[in-house]
Amino acid sequence: MSLGIQPSSQNDPSFFARGPLERIVKMEELHRRLGRSPNYRGENDALRLLAKLLSDSPQAALQGLADQALKLCRAESAGIGITEICDGKNVFRWHAVSGNSPPHPESATPPGFGSACGSAWAYEAQATGASHSILRERKAAPGEALLVPFFRGAQEAGALWVAHHNANKRFDREDQRIMESLAAFASGVAQSYLREEAADLARRRQEEVVSLLESEKELREKFVTALTHDLRTPLTSAKMSAQLLARKAGEPEAVLRSAARISASVDRAERMVRDLLDANRLKAGEGIPLSIEACRLDEVVNHSVKELTALNGERFEFVNEAHETEGYWDHEALSRVIDNLASNAVKYGAPGKTITIGLVKQQHYAEISVHNEGDAISIDDQKSLFKSYRRTDSAVSSGQKGWGIGLVLVKGIAEAHGGSVRLESFPERGTTVYVRVPLDCRLPS
Amino acid sequence: MSAPLPGLGKLILVVDDEYLIRETLRDALEADGYDVVTAQNGKEGLGRLGESLRPNLILLDMMMPIMGGQEFLQGLAQRPDLAPIPVLVVSATADTKNTPGAKAILKKPPDLDQLLWMVFKYTQKDQYSPS
């Protein structure tokens, strides 16, 4: 069954109230028109061709349907649309157009008024439907459209349409017969098409899952390698220093130096273990537990700079614009923030250049900054910087060892304090990370 | 009278990216009388050697940024004047496949006595003597 529209006909006015269809040519009118004699041969050839196209691909058969409808109905434009599920919603999508048609086969619209078959269904047009939008969107002279919905069981599956652009041309009974024959075929084609699409989608999803799992596995392996390697550094230093201590027991200066190195190494190993545990907490969606007390941030930074110097040499400059900065924080957690940022600056900044650690105080917050000279971090890399176990491409290619959790921890600790982190990186100027925390993090931010 | 220090008059180049390791090795070697020069990576190490530094022995880490140990060893092999300098690899990630030309490999963390014994052994006159 099919329905035609004719923009100028004066038909049942009740249709106007029901949607955007401008004029409906009832089927009786189509039947009243003088029909040309049936073109069985043309229909037969078309169906044979379509069967062949279908064996190639359902998409080719859909295009063939539009082409054959155009040809056999001697129309100016033709098209076929299918309803499908897209992001959980039922949508109607043009899959093929032919002739002088609007080039929008990819656009999806909700089925209903506004789409050709949607209009037809809205009219419960077992019969037939057509939408003025076919003509309007094409910006063609108003002509007549003939539209045939097709079904999958009782479900609307799509629509095949043809349109005249010339107001003097009309469809007739033969056009209707041909279109219904093609539409019956289209129903099968649409089913094959959707099945193939679904299989494609399932295959793509499966490939995505496999590749995700593989990349997770690779990340984990790299992480364990980096972790065990990094732990060996403080272990090596502590073990050798302890042995040296035993050999130089009589030399107080050597004993003190070795003891300090053992202590710094053990601290470092301990911090690595804690960082790892906290990164896992964050990954599980838990916050970092803090123990808040009154402390002075300038003293925290000063102490960190001393420790960093013991581990990395004289490379740090503390620029304190805040002087005595009193507040309520977890001083141990904030010293880990400084340690992580400064270690990154040592690893990825310009070798040997001074790393500047800044502190400023405002009315309600304090801000720690760590600046290093060196190459800028690309915008792409900046996006993944704060994701756990993800090391940026440039971090990996630098040859530096890393676990990919330092900045995740920095962000986690800042946020646990009700604060925030931001990063600025520019060529020529280098990279600065700013960590802002409220002066009293016990207060709601 | 204590015995003369075994390292007197001998120069060691330590190539390691970790400040902690460099300085610990420096302490241990200097305690035995060696002179110590350090470099933070392979490139800096080769640069030092290019400046006519001729150590009696090189202690080399493998996994370093900018230039790792393997590349350093390859660079050394290409220089006939530097190739005879003995290299002792001290690394967590070394095996004989990626350490061409190295005299021996010590896994981190190394035993200090063993390390100093090897350093002593490879800095004896019959091993290599920089001119």
Side-chain angles (χ1 to χ4, degrees):
Chain A
M1 300 273 275
S2 55
L3 185 79
I5 62 162
Q6 185 188 37
S8 58
S9 77
Q10 302 294 316
N11 282 296
D12 183 357
S14 71
F15 279 107
F16 285 95
R18 299 176 62 182
L21 290 190
E22 283 173 347
R23 301 286 187 274
I24 298 291
V25 180
K26 287 191 173 176
M27 295 325 299
E28 301 86 75
E29 183 176 329
L30 210 51
H31 282 275
R32 276 199 299 277
R33 289 182 186 165
L34 281 175
R36 58 196 199 284
S37 49
N39 180 4
Y40 293 121
R41 184 160 175 201
E43 179 193 2
N44 212 23
D45 288 349
L47 290 174
R48 250 209 308 258
L49 175 68
L50 288 169
K52 184 179 172 300
L53 287 173
L54 182 57
S55 70
D56 290 343
S57 85
Q59 180 60 48
L62 288 172
Q63 186 58 52
L65 275 162
D67 293 343
Q68 293 305 310
L70 182 88
K71 182 177 147 198
L72 293 172
C73 296
R74 297 173 295 184
E76 271 77 49
S77 61
I80 183 162
I82 298 178
T83 55
E84 55 190 80
I85 307 291
C86 180
D87 295 330
K89 284 185 196 141
N90 214 9
V91 296
F92 179 73
R93 197 195 296 274
W94 296 123
H95 281 278
V97 287
S98 189
N100 180 11
S101 290
H104 65 318
E106 284 305 316
S107 71
T109 52
F113 292 113
S115 74
C117 65
S119 295
W121 302 330
Y123 280 87
E124 294 165 9
Q126 274 321 311
T128 41
S131 163
H132 67 133
S133 62
I134 293 170
L135 300 170
R136 196 176 53 202
E137 283 173 20
R138 212 184 47 246
K139 295 191 175 94
E144 190 175 71
L146 175 63
L147 183 141
V148 187
F150 48 85
F151 299 84
R152 193 166 43 240
Q155 286 286 312
E156 301 90 347
L160 180 65
W161 58 264
V162 281
H164 285 313
H165 299 190
N166 183 333
N168 298 322
K169 289 175 83 175
R170 292 283 182 270
F171 292 110
D172 61 18
R173 260 183 298 181
E174 169 59 5
D175 294 317
Q176 185 196 356
R177 189 190 68 78
I178 292 275
M179 285 292 278
E180 281 172 1
S181 167
L182 292 177
F185 191 88
S187 174
V189 175
Q191 277 195 57
S192 310
Y193 177 79
L194 292 175
R195 246 199 311 271
E196 196 159 280
E197 281 278 281
D200 256 9
L201 185 68
R203 202 163 37 238
R204 276 200 303 275
R205 291 237 167 101
Q206 197 177 9
E207 281 166 9
E208 277 168 21
V209 169
V210 168
S211 109
L212 190 72
L213 286 175
E214 275 171 359
S215 87
E216 286 280 327
K217 182 167 167 270
E218 195 183 331
L219 275 176
R220 213 169 24 244
E221 282 166 3
K222 278 187 185 156
F223 175 77
V224 170
T225 307
L227 173 75
T228 48
H229 181 277
D230 276 15
L231 271 171
R232 279 212 175 93
T233 294
L235 284 179
T236 298
S237 173
K239 182 178 168 186
M240 286 200 299
S241 299
Q243 290 177 327
L244 193 60
L245 192 69
R247 290 165 71 112
K248 300 287 164 187
E251 297 172 29
E253 213 176 286
V255 167
L256 283 179
R257 215 176 25 244
S258 291
R261 197 151 284 145
I262 292 168
S263 174
S265 301
V266 173
D267 279 354
R268 177 152 163 195
E270 202 263 330
R271 193 164 279 189
M272 284 179 185
V273 172
R274 200 161 8 155
D275 282 357
L276 178 60
L277 290 175
D278 280 345
N280 269 349
R281 271 204 187 103
L282 287 170
K283 195 155 189 169
E286 298 164 26
I288 292 182
L290 297 181
S291 95
I292 306 293
E293 56 190 0
C295 56
R296 270 179 53 183
L297 200 49
D298 52 310
E299 286 177 353
V300 174
V301 179
N302 240 329
H303 182 71
S304 292
V305 169
K306 276 189 196 136
E307 281 194 345
L308 284 161
T309 304
L311 289 170
N312 301 283
E314 298 277 350
R315 290 202 47 188
F316 304 92
E317 186 188 7
F318 178 24
V319 179
N320 182 9
E321 293 173 27
H323 305 291
E324 292 182 10
T325 307
E326 290 177 343
Y328 287 86
W329 302 288
D330 181 333
H331 64 88
E332 196 278 327
L334 290 182
S335 77
R336 284 166 72 199
V337 164
I338 299 162
D339 182 57
N340 266 306
L341 294 178
S343 302
N344 278 349
V346 170
K347 279 194 208 167
Y348 306 115
K353 298 275 184 183
T354 299
I355 291 157
T356 311
I357 301 177
L359 176 62
V360 292
K361 184 171 117 181
Q362 298 293 339
Q363 195 181 352
H364 297 295
Y365 65 85
E367 191 169 78
I368 303 165
S369 61
V370 176
H371 169 79
N372 66 267
E373 293 178 38
D375 292 341
I377 301 168
S378 75
I379 301 290
D380 273 354
D381 279 353
Q382 287 185 29
K383 285 179 195 155
S384 64
L385 274 179
F386 294 97
K387 289 184 184 154
S388 54
Y389 308 114
R390 302 266 163 194
R391 299 189 69 215
T392 63
D393 291 344
S394 57
V396 173
S397 62
S398 72
Q400 284 286 2
K401 295 147 262 188
W403 310 355
I405 61 176
L407 285 175
V408 182
L409 284 174
V410 167
K411 185 164 176 268
I413 291 172
E415 286 173 355
H417 278 90
S420 60
V421 185
R422 75 196 154 87
L423 178 138
E424 286 177 358
S425 192
F426 302 103
E428 318 291 328
R429 275 191 271 166
T431 300
T432 313
V433 183
Y434 299 88
V435 176
R436 181 179 287 195
V437 284
L439 289 181
D440 186 349
C441 77
R442 298 168 307 171
L443 304 172
S445 51
Chain B
M1 274 284 291
S2 57
L5 291 169
L8 278 181
K10 302 275 164 56
L11 179 65
I12 313 287
L13 170 63
V14 174
V15 188
D16 198 307
D17 59 323
E18 292 285 354
Y19 176 84
L20 259 184
I21 305 282
R22 283 198 306 273
E23 293 310 304
T24 308
L25 284 171
R26 181 200 293 281
D27 273 359
L29 292 166
E30 285 181 352
D32 266 10
Y34 295 96
D35 287 322
V36 178
V37 176
T38 61
Q40 297 189 34
N41 56 61
K43 193 177 171 195
E44 197 185 318
L46 285 179
R48 284 284 167 104
L49 295 167
E51 295 160 8
S52 74
L53 179 83
R54 290 295 176 271
N56 297 75
L57 175 72
I58 298 169
L59 291 187
L60 178 70
D61 182 29
M62 291 310 286
M63 210 166 139
M64 293 179 288
I66 303 171
M67 187 194 283
Q70 195 170 353
E71 215 181 319
F72 175 86
L73 286 167
Q74 286 161 357
L76 212 59
Q78 283 167 12
R79 292 273 305 268
D81 53 330
L82 303 179
I85 304 175
V87 177
L88 183 54
V89 169
V90 184
S91 167
T93 55
D95 59 54
T96 45
K97 274 184 232 141
N98 63 9
T99 54
K103 289 282 180 198
I105 298 169
L106 279 174
K107 281 259 173 198
K108 278 183 185 170
D111 180 79
L112 187 62
D113 287 339
Q114 192 188 5
L115 176 97
L116 289 171
W117 161 244
M118 283 201 167
V119 170
F120 174 75
K121 183 174 139 192
Y122 290 119
T123 52
Q124 292 314 292
K125 271 212 160 41
D126 57 331
Q127 290 289 329
Y128 167 72
S129 174
S131 49

